[in-house]
Amino acid sequence: MQIFIDSADAKELAALAMTGLVDGVTTNPSLVAKAGGDFFETLKAICASVSGPISAEVVAQDYETMLAEGRKLRTVADNIVVKLPLTPDGLRACKTLEDEGHPCNVTLCFSAVQALLAAKAGATFISPFLGRLDDGGQDGMQLIREIRAIYDNYDYPTQILAASIRTASHVRDAAIAGADCATIPPAVFKSLYKHHLTDSGLAAFMKDWAATGQKIL
Ligand code: E4P
Protein backbone atom coordinates (compact mmCIF):
# COMPACT_ATOMS: atom_id res chain seq x y z
CA MET A 1 0.00 0.00 0.00
CA GLN A 2 1.27 3.46 -0.87
CA ILE A 3 1.65 5.84 2.06
CA PHE A 4 0.69 9.47 1.44
CA ILE A 5 0.89 12.20 4.08
CA ASP A 6 -2.19 14.39 4.59
CA SER A 7 -0.62 17.81 5.23
CA ALA A 8 0.29 21.14 3.65
CA ASP A 9 3.17 21.82 6.04
CA ALA A 10 6.12 21.84 3.62
CA LYS A 11 8.74 21.77 6.39
CA GLU A 12 7.19 18.81 8.18
CA LEU A 13 6.70 16.99 4.87
CA ALA A 14 10.37 17.48 3.96
CA ALA A 15 11.34 15.91 7.30
CA LEU A 16 8.94 12.98 6.84
CA ALA A 17 10.20 12.41 3.29
CA MET A 18 13.61 11.62 4.83
CA THR A 19 12.10 8.39 6.23
CA GLY A 20 12.07 7.00 2.69
CA LEU A 21 8.53 5.73 3.31
CA VAL A 22 6.46 8.59 1.87
CA ASP A 23 4.97 7.88 -1.57
CA GLY A 24 2.90 11.05 -1.95
CA VAL A 25 1.05 13.93 -0.29
CA THR A 26 -2.54 15.17 -0.15
CA THR A 27 -3.47 18.74 0.65
CA ASN A 28 -6.86 20.42 0.92
CA PRO A 29 -7.98 24.03 1.44
CA SER A 30 -8.31 23.53 5.22
CA LEU A 31 -4.79 22.09 5.49
CA VAL A 32 -3.40 24.96 3.37
CA ALA A 33 -5.12 27.50 5.66
CA LYS A 34 -3.75 25.71 8.74
CA ALA A 35 -0.18 25.67 7.38
CA GLY A 36 -0.32 29.34 6.28
CA GLY A 37 1.83 30.86 3.54
CA ASP A 38 1.43 31.23 -0.20
CA PHE A 39 -0.36 28.26 -1.79
CA PHE A 40 1.81 28.05 -4.91
CA GLU A 41 5.09 28.49 -3.01
CA THR A 42 3.96 25.76 -0.61
CA LEU A 43 3.16 23.40 -3.46
CA LYS A 44 6.54 24.05 -5.09
CA ALA A 45 8.33 23.32 -1.81
CA ILE A 46 6.35 20.09 -1.27
CA CYS A 47 7.01 18.92 -4.84
CA ALA A 48 10.72 19.55 -4.32
CA SER A 49 10.89 17.14 -1.37
CA VAL A 50 8.41 14.43 -2.41
CA SER A 51 8.59 13.05 -5.95
CA GLY A 52 5.33 11.08 -5.84
CA PRO A 53 1.79 12.36 -6.45
CA ILE A 54 0.97 15.66 -4.67
CA SER A 55 -2.76 16.43 -4.61
CA ALA A 56 -3.68 20.12 -4.90
CA GLU A 57 -7.36 20.99 -4.70
CA VAL A 58 -9.32 23.38 -6.90
CA VAL A 59 -11.58 25.84 -5.10
CA ALA A 60 -13.92 26.70 -7.98
CA GLN A 61 -17.23 24.88 -8.12
CA ASP A 62 -18.15 25.33 -11.78
CA TYR A 63 -16.76 23.20 -14.60
CA GLU A 64 -14.99 25.90 -16.63
CA THR A 65 -13.22 27.49 -13.66
CA MET A 66 -12.29 24.07 -12.26
CA LEU A 67 -10.61 23.29 -15.58
CA ALA A 68 -8.69 26.58 -15.53
CA GLU A 69 -7.61 26.09 -11.91
CA GLY A 70 -6.66 22.47 -12.53
CA ARG A 71 -4.54 23.34 -15.56
CA LYS A 72 -2.83 26.13 -13.60
CA LEU A 73 -2.10 23.85 -10.64
CA ARG A 74 -0.53 21.34 -13.04
CA THR A 75 2.01 23.98 -14.16
CA VAL A 76 3.61 23.88 -10.69
CA ALA A 77 5.20 20.46 -11.20
CA ASP A 78 4.70 17.25 -13.15
CA ASN A 79 3.76 15.33 -10.00
CA ILE A 80 0.79 17.57 -9.13
CA VAL A 81 -2.55 15.72 -9.07
CA VAL A 82 -5.65 17.88 -9.48
CA LYS A 83 -8.03 17.31 -6.58
CA LEU A 84 -11.70 17.82 -7.45
CA PRO A 85 -14.85 17.50 -5.34
CA LEU A 86 -17.32 14.73 -6.07
CA THR A 87 -19.97 16.92 -7.70
CA PRO A 88 -21.41 16.82 -11.23
CA ASP A 89 -19.09 19.65 -12.30
CA GLY A 90 -16.16 18.07 -10.47
CA LEU A 91 -16.61 14.74 -12.26
CA ARG A 92 -17.09 16.46 -15.60
CA ALA A 93 -13.85 18.40 -15.02
CA CYS A 94 -12.17 15.14 -13.97
CA LYS A 95 -13.11 13.48 -17.27
CA THR A 96 -11.83 16.43 -19.32
CA LEU A 97 -8.58 16.83 -17.35
CA GLU A 98 -7.85 13.09 -17.39
CA ASP A 99 -8.49 13.05 -21.18
CA GLU A 100 -5.91 15.86 -21.46
CA GLY A 101 -3.42 13.76 -19.48
CA HIS A 102 -3.78 15.49 -16.10
CA PRO A 103 -4.16 13.00 -13.21
CA CYS A 104 -7.09 13.72 -10.87
CA ASN A 105 -8.02 12.79 -7.31
CA VAL A 106 -11.77 12.92 -6.68
CA THR A 107 -12.32 13.90 -3.07
CA LEU A 108 -15.15 13.99 -0.52
CA CYS A 109 -16.41 10.51 -1.46
CA PHE A 110 -18.88 9.05 1.04
CA SER A 111 -20.64 6.30 -0.93
CA ALA A 112 -19.78 3.40 -3.21
CA VAL A 113 -21.97 4.72 -6.02
CA GLN A 114 -20.11 8.04 -5.88
CA ALA A 115 -16.89 6.05 -6.27
CA LEU A 116 -18.40 4.20 -9.25
CA LEU A 117 -19.08 7.54 -10.95
CA ALA A 118 -15.53 8.74 -10.26
CA ALA A 119 -14.12 5.58 -11.86
CA LYS A 120 -16.34 6.13 -14.89
CA ALA A 121 -14.99 9.72 -15.07
CA GLY A 122 -11.51 8.19 -15.34
CA ALA A 123 -10.19 9.43 -12.00
CA THR A 124 -6.67 8.33 -11.14
CA PHE A 125 -7.58 8.36 -7.41
CA ILE A 126 -10.82 8.24 -5.42
CA SER A 127 -10.70 9.50 -1.83
CA PRO A 128 -13.27 7.89 0.49
CA PHE A 129 -13.32 9.71 3.85
CA LEU A 130 -13.26 7.02 6.56
CA GLY A 131 -12.99 9.13 9.69
CA ARG A 132 -15.80 11.49 8.82
CA LEU A 133 -18.13 8.52 8.22
CA ASP A 134 -17.07 6.98 11.55
CA ASP A 135 -17.62 10.37 13.22
CA GLY A 136 -21.22 10.24 11.99
CA GLY A 137 -21.76 6.74 13.39
CA GLN A 138 -21.27 4.91 10.08
CA ASP A 139 -18.66 2.26 9.21
CA GLY A 140 -16.05 4.00 7.06
CA MET A 141 -14.11 0.81 6.41
CA GLN A 142 -17.18 -0.87 4.90
CA LEU A 143 -17.06 1.81 2.21
CA ILE A 144 -13.49 0.80 1.29
CA ARG A 145 -14.60 -2.85 1.02
CA GLU A 146 -17.54 -1.92 -1.22
CA ILE A 147 -15.43 0.24 -3.54
CA ARG A 148 -12.75 -2.49 -3.75
CA ALA A 149 -15.40 -5.03 -4.80
CA ILE A 150 -16.92 -2.73 -7.43
CA TYR A 151 -13.56 -1.70 -8.91
CA ASP A 152 -12.42 -5.33 -9.02
CA ASN A 153 -15.71 -6.45 -10.66
CA TYR A 154 -15.12 -4.13 -13.59
CA ASP A 155 -11.32 -3.80 -13.57
CA TYR A 156 -11.49 -0.05 -13.01
CA PRO A 157 -7.91 1.23 -12.68
CA THR A 158 -8.89 4.09 -10.33
CA GLN A 159 -6.82 3.79 -7.16
CA ILE A 160 -8.56 3.79 -3.78
CA LEU A 161 -6.92 6.43 -1.59
CA ALA A 162 -8.23 5.90 1.95
CA ALA A 163 -8.61 9.39 3.46
CA SER A 164 -9.72 11.06 6.67
CA ILE A 165 -7.58 8.58 8.57
CA ARG A 166 -7.61 9.04 12.33
CA THR A 167 -5.75 6.07 13.81
CA ALA A 168 -3.15 3.37 13.15
CA SER A 169 -6.04 0.87 13.15
CA HIS A 170 -7.57 2.74 10.23
CA VAL A 171 -4.30 2.27 8.31
CA ARG A 172 -4.21 -1.46 9.13
CA ASP A 173 -7.84 -2.05 8.22
CA ALA A 174 -7.60 -0.04 5.00
CA ALA A 175 -4.60 -2.17 3.97
CA ILE A 176 -6.52 -5.38 4.78
CA ALA A 177 -9.52 -4.10 2.82
CA GLY A 178 -7.32 -3.56 -0.23
CA ALA A 179 -6.99 0.23 -0.41
CA ASP A 180 -4.23 1.11 -2.88
CA CYS A 181 -3.07 4.07 -0.81
CA ALA A 182 -3.80 5.72 2.52
CA THR A 183 -3.29 9.40 3.23
CA ILE A 184 -2.21 9.73 6.82
CA PRO A 185 -1.87 12.76 9.13
CA PRO A 186 1.76 13.23 10.31
CA ALA A 187 1.01 12.28 13.94
CA VAL A 188 -0.70 9.03 12.89
CA PHE A 189 2.17 8.24 10.51
CA LYS A 190 4.68 8.60 13.38
CA SER A 191 2.52 6.35 15.57
CA LEU A 192 2.80 3.52 13.03
CA TYR A 193 6.39 2.82 14.16
CA LYS A 194 5.36 2.34 17.76
CA HIS A 195 4.94 -0.86 19.76
CA HIS A 196 5.75 -1.13 23.45
CA LEU A 197 7.33 -4.57 22.91
CA THR A 198 9.72 -3.03 20.37
CA ASP A 199 10.81 -0.47 22.98
CA SER A 200 11.20 -2.95 25.84
CA GLY A 201 12.85 -5.56 23.59
CA LEU A 202 15.40 -3.04 22.34
CA ALA A 203 16.16 -1.88 25.88
CA ALA A 204 16.83 -5.49 26.93
CA PHE A 205 19.10 -6.14 23.92
CA MET A 206 21.11 -2.98 24.66
CA LYS A 207 21.50 -3.88 28.32
CA ASP A 208 22.72 -7.39 27.50
CA TRP A 209 25.07 -6.09 24.79
CA ALA A 210 26.59 -3.51 27.16
CA ALA A 211 27.33 -6.36 29.58
CA THR A 212 29.55 -8.05 26.94
CA GLY A 213 31.85 -5.00 26.89
CA GLN A 214 32.21 -5.32 23.10
CA LYS A 215 31.85 -2.82 20.20
CA ILE A 216 30.90 -3.19 16.56
CA LEU A 217 32.57 0.08 15.48
C1 E4P B 1 -8.05 13.85 1.98
O1 E4P B 1 -7.46 14.03 0.95
C2 E4P B 1 -8.34 14.91 2.97
O2 E4P B 1 -7.35 15.90 2.89
C3 E4P B 1 -8.33 14.44 4.39
O3 E4P B 1 -8.01 13.08 4.52
C4 E4P B 1 -9.49 14.91 5.20
O4 E4P B 1 -9.38 14.40 6.49
P1 E4P B 1 -10.18 15.00 7.75
O5 E4P B 1 -11.51 14.36 7.79
O6 E4P B 1 -9.32 14.59 8.92
O7 E4P B 1 -10.23 16.48 7.55
Side-chain angles (χ1 to χ4, degrees):
M1 184 172 70
Q2 297 173 75
I3 290 182
F4 293 0
I5 303 295
D6 201 23
S7 170
D9 182 333
K11 212 169 153 187
E12 183 165 42
L13 287 165
L16 292 175
M18 302 293 282
T19 63
L21 302 176
V22 176
D23 300 302
V25 171
T26 54
T27 67
N28 66 38
S30 302
L31 291 170
V32 170
K34 184 178 165 200
D38 178 81
F39 183 34
F40 282 89
E41 290 307 316
T42 298
L43 288 177
K44 276 183 209 157
I46 295 171
C47 290
S49 58
V50 179
S51 59
I54 312 296
S55 289
E57 190 159 341
V58 302
V59 290
Q61 293 183 36
D62 65 282
Y63 169 74
E64 293 293 348
T65 320
M66 280 178 175
L67 286 186
E69 288 185 354
R71 290 176 186 135
K72 182 171 177 186
L73 289 168
R74 283 278 297 159
T75 64
V76 172
D78 286 345
N79 54 329
I80 288 284
V81 172
V82 181
K83 206 173 180 190
L84 298 154
L86 208 155
T87 61
D89 282 50
L91 291 188
R92 188 176 163 212
C94 172
K95 176 88 176 73
T96 301
L97 289 168
E98 288 279 358
D99 286 348
E100 290 175 357
H102 303 301
C104 296
N105 172 4
V106 174
T107 189
L108 291 166
C109 171
F110 293 95
S111 80
V113 287
Q114 286 182 319
L116 172 62
L117 296 182
K120 290 188 69 67
T124 298
F125 298 101
I126 181 71
S127 291
F129 276 38
L130 306 184
R132 293 192 193 187
L133 281 170
D134 287 359
D135 292 346
Q138 289 179 266
D139 180 2
M141 210 53 66
Q142 178 59 17
L143 176 57
I144 300 286
R145 290 188 281 270
E146 290 171 3
I147 299 172
R148 180 75 280 153
I150 290 169
Y151 284 8
D152 288 351
N153 280 350
Y154 299 99
D155 286 333
Y156 286 124
T158 301
Q159 295 179 56
I160 303 173
L161 204 182
S164 188
I165 296 267
R166 305 268 195 264
T167 62
S169 303
H170 269 158
V171 178
R172 176 198 64 205
D173 293 343
I176 292 169
D180 299 285
C181 338
T183 188
I184 308 173
V188 176
F189 173 74
K190 288 173 195 165
S191 81
L192 300 182
Y193 288 92
K194 290 286 180 192
H195 197 287
H196 70 96
L197 291 177
T198 304
D199 297 339
S200 59
L202 183 59
F205 285 157
M206 292 306 100
K207 184 169 174 252
D208 293 343
W209 176 253
T212 73
Q214 299 182 68
K215 289 188 179 204
I216 294 176
L217 291 176

